[in-house]
Amino acid sequence: MKAIKTVQHLALAAAAMAVATSVMAQAGKGVSQPEMNYQAGGSPLVNEPMHQSTNPKAPPMTAAEFEKARQTYFERCAGCHGVLRKGATGKPLTPDLTIAKGTDYLKVFISYGSPAGMPNWLTSGEMSEQEVDLMARYIQHEPPTPPEFGMADMKKTWKVIVEPKDRPKKKLNNYNIENIFSTTLRDTGEVALIDGDTKKIINIVKTGYAVHISRTSASGRYLFVIGRDAKINMIDLWMEKPDNVAEVRVGLEARSVDTSKFKGYEDKLAIAGSYWPPQYTIMNGDTLEPMKIVSTRGMVVGTQEYHPEPRVASIVASHFKPEFVVNVKETGKTLMVDYSNIDALKVTEIGSAPFLHDGGWDSSKRYFMVAANNSNKIAAIDAKEGKLAAITEVGKIPHPGRGANLLHPKFGPVWATGHLGDDTISLIGTDPKKHKQYAFKEVAKLTGPGGGALFIKSHPKSTHLYSDAPLNPDPKISQSIVVYDIKNLDKGFVTLPVAEWAGLKDDGAKRVVQPEFNKAGDEVWFSVWSAKNKESALVIVDDKTLKLKAVIKDPRLITPTGHFNIYNTQHDVY
């Protein structure tokens, strides 16, 4: 890196760092490397055509420069600053703010970052000086708007591969369907269906890019997966070799899918939420035919300011009513969507805290515990009463996955979450009847090995609590799993060298991610996740002994990340 030599640039650097220090003081704590790893992810919108908008007050850019900068922005910046640069977990970067700062000032921020969360793109080697200059000019221009994606667009992508009438009338295979695992092969646009009994791959199924989540229908027959490119695939597990029977795209970027589960509505409907456009789509549960699209653009909880791109995060199906629980990130709203009559849709809007992300049910399946991650809160949504039960302050950037339900010897039923931004695990009481004094309070805080945790898991038949930390910068931590004894949480954790147990030959990242139990609750599966040109594996641990039980290796297991047991996903067991 060339040194900044001019007095002008030194002054700008000093000013920039002074502002950064001020922002850090207001924020409380600086950003951690795991947070940067998580937030600065790529967006499928990088490949979408967009129109260049010119701003006469902004520094000039050629069409080629603008296109290169646009691609860089969606690869590295949109996750924090938003598609329209209106601000999400990062600050707004609209021309009314950036032009006044000037190109040199912006270059310093992009180069050196800030303790409040801006990565140091130049000094880390992630960007060259030319790229920094390009991005400083780009963010002074009007942000290009990706295309909308409405009903006509969805219908063009909708495909019924096997009509419902032509599907099996009974199960045609000998697989123990309830113990099948759906494992995301992130970079190949596939999922691996793995027989949990024999540990053999049943099929590699083509899907959308970087499948974010797998969900099981109420009957357990159908598996629904959604890629980050908003493509949904419906897989029939009754087929001789389970495979796709329908598919559709519901937008340009997405994260969540689920199906109707209330009595009388089993398997009737499916729902998916999009990051762009900001909307959710209700579909026919047999064919994925899109039936209803609802926008989530609107006002933010608290400030009551309009937000143009509130992304739909997690969605679950209520066990108490014919409702979908739809969580909207930027506005901080949970929408209870009554699907009993989608032609006269009724939506109950519950405000909690901004940046709602992932979460899971408590052990009673009444309270949905959802992380408001950049607000450092957990909101408890009462699905029976249709209201906010409580908001609980937790650690920095909670990321529970589905979380974990434990029976604590003192506090009774508790739900747990790990954190991206610190090394703690928060336990929250969830029993307002028999343990009212602990209900929806952080009753205990466990200490883990470090930040960067994505998933935490237990099982009703297990006495252990497992936590990963795949985004921790220390390989010793990211390549291991920690385990707590639920009966004696105060004694701390033991570490399992899962990546080492995998016995991989090359020097891949070997990040260990997402503990998942089998149906019986006596095995825990982990993905050992390396780059697509490196060997990866699945490692299976005996829950009783915490010893290695099996390793699954196959050249088709490319970048395995999340995996979901059919039975546990169907019945919300975690």
Side-chain angles (χ1 to χ4, degrees):
M1 185 199 74
K2 296 179 181 178
I4 295 180
K5 297 179 179 179
T6 66
V7 174
Q8 178 187 19
H9 281 190
L10 288 170
L12 284 168
M17 295 311 294
V19 173
T21 302
S22 174
V23 172
M24 180 183 68
Q26 296 172 20
K29 290 183 179 180
V31 73
S32 66
Q33 187 62 45
E35 290 171 68
M36 290 185 187
N37 292 344
Y38 178 70
Q39 298 290 2
S43 164
L45 293 172
V46 67
N47 297 316
E48 294 299 326
M50 299 180 199
H51 177 69
Q52 178 178 353
S53 300
T54 57
N55 187 332
K57 295 182 180 179
M61 298 188 79
T62 66
E65 286 180 323
F66 188 88
E67 179 60 17
K68 182 178 179 182
R70 183 190 73 80
Q71 290 182 353
T72 300
Y73 180 82
F74 281 102
E75 286 172 349
R76 300 182 176 182
C77 313
C80 281
H81 299 286
V83 170
L84 302 178
R85 305 209 308 259
K86 294 284 188 180
T89 50
K91 299 293 184 182
L93 294 175
T94 46
D96 59 312
L97 302 173
T98 55
I99 288 176
K101 298 293 185 184
T103 302
D104 285 338
Y105 190 92
L106 295 170
K107 284 167 65 175
V108 170
F109 266 108
I110 296 169
S111 297
Y112 294 97
S114 81
M118 180 70 176
N120 54 324
W121 291 110
L122 178 66
T123 56
S124 68
E126 294 288 324
M127 288 187 187
S128 66
E129 289 187 356
Q130 291 75 19
E131 288 173 315
V132 168
D133 175 74
L134 194 68
M135 298 310 296
R137 288 183 285 137
Y138 172 77
I139 60 176
Q140 295 176 70
H141 286 257
E142 294 294 331
T145 303
E148 296 294 320
F149 205 87
M151 184 62 75
D153 301 298
M154 292 184 194
K155 287 291 183 73
K156 290 177 183 176
T157 72
W158 173 49
K159 183 188 299 183
V160 180
I161 300 163
V162 182
E163 294 284 353
K165 65 182 177 61
D166 297 325
R167 296 173 194 166
K169 303 299 185 287
K170 62 180 181 179
K171 188 164 80 78
L172 298 182
N173 58 63
N174 294 321
Y175 299 117
N176 177 9
I177 286 178
E178 291 184 330
N179 201 35
I180 288 176
F181 286 76
S182 173
T183 298
T184 297
L185 306 181
R186 187 184 187 280
D187 293 329
T188 63
E190 297 168 326
V191 294
L193 301 181
I194 303 175
D195 186 334
D197 293 349
T198 66
K199 315 299 189 287
K200 302 293 185 183
I201 295 177
I202 296 169
N203 196 14
I204 303 291
V205 181
K206 289 292 182 183
T207 63
Y209 171 72
V211 163
H212 190 72
I213 207 163
S214 296
R215 285 288 167 262
T216 311
S217 66
S219 67
R221 172 176 181 173
Y222 292 109
L223 178 69
F224 295 79
V225 301
I226 188 165
R228 292 196 174 203
D229 57 0
K231 183 180 180 181
I232 304 171
N233 289 82
M234 180 180 180
I235 300 167
D236 187 353
L237 299 175
W238 278 14
M239 296 171 69
E240 187 174 356
K241 178 182 280 189
D243 209 336
N244 287 316
V245 293
E247 63 181 44
V248 70
R249 282 190 76 185
V250 292
L252 301 176
E253 184 171 3
R255 295 293 188 277
S256 52
V257 66
D258 211 338
T259 65
S260 53
K261 293 183 178 177
F262 189 68
K263 187 176 181 180
Y265 296 90
E266 297 94 337
D267 295 18
K268 299 294 185 185
L269 298 169
I271 184 173
S274 302
Y275 269 27
W276 187 270
Q279 61 194 29
Y280 58 88
T281 303
I282 299 175
M283 296 155 284
N284 182 296
D286 284 334
T287 65
L288 292 182
E289 179 182 9
M291 302 167 67
K292 185 90 170 182
I293 305 171
V294 183
S295 173
T296 55
R297 292 178 170 104
M299 316 311 281
V300 177
V301 167
T303 64
Q304 298 295 294
E305 294 178 351
Y306 177 75
H307 201 292
E309 52 167 314
R311 299 172 286 181
V312 179
S314 53
I315 298 178
V316 293
S318 172
H319 297 269
F320 283 87
K321 300 176 185 178
E323 288 182 335
F324 293 122
V325 184
V326 178
N327 296 284
V328 186
K329 288 180 73 76
E330 281 72 24
T331 53
K333 295 175 181 177
T334 297
L335 310 177
M336 311 297 284
V337 180
D338 183 340
Y339 55 73
S340 61
N341 183 357
I342 67 170
D343 293 322
L345 200 67
K346 297 178 182 177
V347 180
T348 300
E349 181 183 293
I350 302 172
S352 53
F355 310 114
L356 296 178
H357 191 62
D358 56 347
W361 294 107
D362 79 305
S363 57
S364 72
K365 309 291 194 297
R366 173 172 175 173
Y367 301 100
F368 186 67
M369 312 292 288
V370 57
N373 54 18
N374 264 57
S375 297
N376 303 331
K377 296 177 173 67
I378 298 293
I381 306 297
D382 186 340
K384 183 178 180 179
E385 297 295 332
K387 65 180 183 180
L388 177 68
I391 295 179
T392 307
E393 295 275 352
V394 290
K396 190 171 185 183
I397 317 294
H399 192 287
R402 288 306 203 193
N405 286 301
L406 319 175
L407 186 60
H408 194 279
K410 177 180 179 181
F411 306 117
V414 299
W415 178 88
T417 179
H419 300 86
L420 270 164
D422 64 34
D423 63 356
T424 65
I425 294 173
S426 295
L427 305 186
I428 300 171
T430 58
D431 181 10
K433 290 186 177 180
K434 296 181 180 180
H435 299 83
K436 186 176 181 180
Q437 69 272 38
Y438 305 125
F440 310 117
K441 296 177 181 177
E442 186 185 53
V443 294
K445 192 184 287 285
L446 309 179
T447 300
L454 286 182
F455 299 101
I456 188 169
K457 191 63 64 79
S458 190
H459 188 279
K461 295 181 181 179
S462 173
T463 60
H464 294 126
L465 172 66
Y466 296 81
S467 177
D468 65 16
L471 298 186
N472 194 285
D474 184 347
K476 291 182 180 178
I477 295 175
S478 66
Q479 295 181 6
S480 301
I481 285 290
V482 297
V483 189
Y484 298 83
D485 181 351
I486 295 172
K487 295 179 180 179
N488 191 3
L489 292 168
D490 291 339
K491 74 176 183 181
F493 59 81
V494 296
T495 301
L496 306 185
V498 171
E500 179 182 322
W501 286 347
L504 300 179
K505 299 175 184 177
D506 57 40
D507 58 351
K510 303 175 188 174
R511 290 169 289 185
V512 179
V513 63
Q514 192 157 349
E516 177 76 350
F517 278 83
N518 63 345
K519 180 192 174 184
D522 57 10
E523 293 178 355
V524 193
W525 291 43
F526 302 94
S527 291
V528 182
W529 167 30
S530 288
K532 61 183 178 181
N533 62 341
K534 301 289 185 179
E535 188 181 22
S536 294
L538 300 181
V539 171
I540 301 163
V541 173
D542 186 309
D543 177 61
K544 297 291 187 287
T545 65
L546 301 184
K547 302 294 185 182
L548 175 65
K549 187 169 185 178
V551 177
I552 302 175
K553 294 181 184 178
D554 191 291
R556 296 172 291 174
L557 291 177
I558 299 171
T559 59
T561 51
H563 42 264
F564 303 85
N565 175 267
I566 295 298
Y567 181 87
N568 293 339
T569 303
Q570 178 187 358
H571 296 282
D572 293 310
V573 177
Y574 33 81

